Amino acid sequence: MSYYKKLKRDLLGAAAAGIITPEQAGRAWEHAYSQRAFASFKAVHWIGAAAGLFIALGVILVAAHNWDKIGALAKMGAFLLLFAGAAEAARRFEDKPSAAVPLETLWFFMPILGIGLYAQIFNLSGDPVKPYLAWAVLSSPLALLSKRPLAAYLTSILLFAVLYWGTLSINTMLSLTVRFNEAMQPPWHWALALAVLGSALLAFPGKRTGKPLGAGIIWLFFMLVADTAITVRSQALVLLAGTSLAVLWLSWGSEEERDARPGLPLTLWTGAVYLMTFFWHHRPAAYSYGRTDTAAGAVITWAAFAAALGSLALRKQRLLPEGKTEDLLAKGLLAASMLCAFLLFDAGEGSAKLLAVIANLILAAFGAGCIMGGARNSDEKLINRGVAVIALTALTRFLDLFGGLLKSGVAFIITGLAFAALAYGINRGRKALIEAVKK
């Protein structure tokens, strides 16, 4: 059950018990529901946004059909008039969403059309990132002035897309990656990339920082594992960086969602621990090639680890429902997922197998914690999550241990029947738990 559905049920229950009036319950729920992303957007607003996009495409097609008949100055002058007209109209009708939304959508997409028009008229070429950065700059007034969050969302998404594309490319003004044996990119590339990152974070509307924070954290991880000035190559540091950043996202992302369990950060952390279970097959080898760990990358990794440990000590955990036992279990599991990386510093096969065993235990404990927490809090979604984690872990480990025996048709049939029985048993147990919490 989602947070809003649970809140509405609780408010209706309080109204039925006479604690508050039905009118107060309705107003409280409307106030809480209005805080969600795109809450102010109704169907008519989305239709209006589509209208603005289609108008922009129509303008492009009309201009393209009569392109050779229009002079260069006339083309630019007409575009500037249209751009100014769309901006002025959007401001004048800002209190009428049915008109303002399509006009704001048109206003947002017009800069890139104008940049393309200018480049085509004067046969310009160059850095492919520049037009998109200019687009974001020209769209920033709309993101700041609009009463609706659509333009701010679009601007933030545009900036993040440019950040990822530009920094992971080779020959752009945002390039941070290099080819083997090439010199590192100049420092001003990093300054510009960090400015784009900061702008993307600030442009994201509302108080919920989970999604933009996650996009920034994932970008930082990409910079650590790619060929950049902050590269880390050793498996121990890569694993430490990945788990530490995942814990940071869990600790600081979407803090406005109150008691709702995090979605993407929790999935990322669970996936990272699940991948650690495959170190059972690890064989020591010279995995580091080309560039080695950089001093800057190591400092950032250890700083992320220290920040994650500090967050576990100072922030409420968001892995399991609240409770003294759950808090201790959740913080212990999160800390263990990071500390596992220390087993790789000796690069031994035995240590890698121990890491895989611990990762399996972390997943099993997390799944059990979800099931128990869901049963106590009547949370069907949490029960399903715990069952899914345990089932996936058990299935993967079965294939690890007995996959080599699947060499005949009979073996496959027996395995299939065993999986069917396991699925049936798990589903029966899951339904029994859900029915029990509903009573």
Side-chain angles (χ1 to χ4, degrees):
M1 181 180 296
S2 70
Y3 166 73
Y4 296 104
K5 288 181 179 179
K6 186 176 184 298
L7 176 63
K8 187 174 185 179
R9 186 195 66 182
D10 292 342
L11 289 172
L12 291 176
I19 300 174
I20 57 176
T21 65
E23 292 76 14
Q24 289 173 329
R27 288 198 301 270
W29 186 83
E30 287 291 343
H31 173 73
Y33 194 66
S34 66
Q35 303 303 312
R36 66 188 178 90
F38 296 107
S40 61
F41 267 66
K42 310 300 181 185
V44 65
H45 300 154
W46 290 110
I47 295 173
L53 179 60
F54 276 96
I55 291 171
L57 293 174
V59 170
I60 296 172
L61 292 175
V62 171
H65 184 71
N66 300 280
W67 193 252
D68 295 334
K69 302 175 184 178
I70 306 173
L73 293 178
K75 292 173 184 176
M76 291 306 303
F79 169 79
L80 292 174
L81 286 174
L82 286 172
F83 186 43
E88 178 62 21
R91 297 297 298 156
R92 286 182 178 272
F93 292 99
E94 63 181 355
D95 293 326
K96 298 180 179 179
S98 58
V101 171
L103 286 169
E104 289 180 358
T105 306
L106 180 63
W107 182 3
F108 177 81
F109 284 101
M110 283 193 74
I112 192 62
L113 302 179
I115 293 169
L117 173 64
Y118 187 83
Q120 187 178 45
I121 291 173
F122 299 102
N123 295 318
L124 301 179
S125 61
D127 195 323
V129 166
K130 285 183 180 179
Y132 296 96
L133 284 178
W135 179 14
V137 171
L138 293 173
S139 298
S140 58
L142 172 62
L144 295 174
L145 297 174
S146 177
K147 292 182 178 180
R148 282 157 288 277
L150 179 61
Y153 279 113
L154 291 175
T155 302
S156 181
I157 291 171
L158 172 61
L159 287 168
F160 273 117
V162 172
L163 177 69
Y164 276 75
W165 171 41
T167 54
L168 292 172
S169 300
I170 298 297
N171 297 314
T172 73
M173 62 191 303
L174 283 176
S175 295
L176 299 179
T177 56
V178 294
R179 294 188 180 93
F180 180 62
N181 283 336
E182 288 185 352
M184 290 298 177
Q185 300 289 358
W188 69 267
H189 279 220
W190 282 93
L192 182 57
L194 292 176
V196 173
L197 174 62
S199 300
L201 293 172
L202 292 174
F204 196 85
K207 298 179 180 179
R208 295 182 179 181
T209 58
K211 290 182 177 61
L213 177 63
I217 282 176
I218 293 172
W219 173 78
L220 176 59
F221 182 73
F222 282 170
M223 294 300 99
L224 288 170
V225 298
D227 283 322
T228 67
I230 60 171
T231 294
V232 290
R233 276 285 178 264
S234 62
Q235 289 184 333
L237 285 181
V238 170
L239 183 59
L240 184 62
T243 52
S244 299
L245 292 174
V247 170
L248 281 174
W249 190 10
L250 261 175
S251 299
W252 294 94
S254 303
E255 66 274 9
E256 292 298 318
E257 291 184 3
R258 301 173 179 88
D259 64 341
R261 301 269 68 76
L264 287 174
L266 180 57
T267 302
L268 180 68
W269 177 82
T270 307
V273 178
Y274 177 70
L275 291 176
M276 287 161 56
T277 64
F278 290 93
F279 273 94
W280 183 264
H281 305 286
H282 175 78
R283 296 292 182 273
Y287 284 99
S288 295
Y289 56 90
R291 302 184 189 279
T292 58
D293 295 332
T294 62
V299 168
I300 292 173
T301 299
W302 287 109
F305 173 63
L309 287 180
S311 299
L312 289 181
L314 302 175
R315 301 272 296 180
K316 290 183 178 179
Q317 61 83 20
R318 301 178 64 245
L319 195 66
L320 296 171
E322 292 184 4
K324 186 175 181 180
T325 303
E326 287 79 359
D327 288 344
L328 290 175
L329 175 61
K331 291 186 176 184
L333 294 178
L334 292 172
S337 67
M338 295 186 290
L339 295 174
C340 280
F342 287 83
L343 292 171
L344 291 182
F345 278 105
D346 67 353
E349 184 176 338
S351 298
K353 289 185 182 297
L354 179 58
L355 184 152
V357 171
I358 295 175
N360 279 287
L361 294 175
I362 292 173
L363 288 177
F366 172 55
C370 287
I371 293 172
M372 292 187 295
R376 186 171 54 259
N377 293 279
S378 301
D379 192 334
E380 179 180 339
K381 185 176 180 180
L382 200 57
I383 292 174
N384 288 334
R385 177 182 294 158
V387 171
V389 169
I390 291 177
L392 178 63
T393 305
L395 178 62
T396 309
R397 300 292 73 78
F398 177 87
L399 293 176
D400 280 345
L401 295 174
F402 303 105
L405 301 178
L406 300 179
K407 299 179 180 179
S408 67
V410 174
F412 274 98
I413 292 173
I414 294 174
T415 303
L417 292 174
F419 284 167
L422 177 64
Y424 177 77
I426 289 175
N427 192 49
R428 286 290 299 273
R430 181 186 65 84
K431 287 183 176 180
L433 281 170
I434 292 172
E435 291 298 325
V437 301
K438 289 181 177 179
K439 294 180 180 180

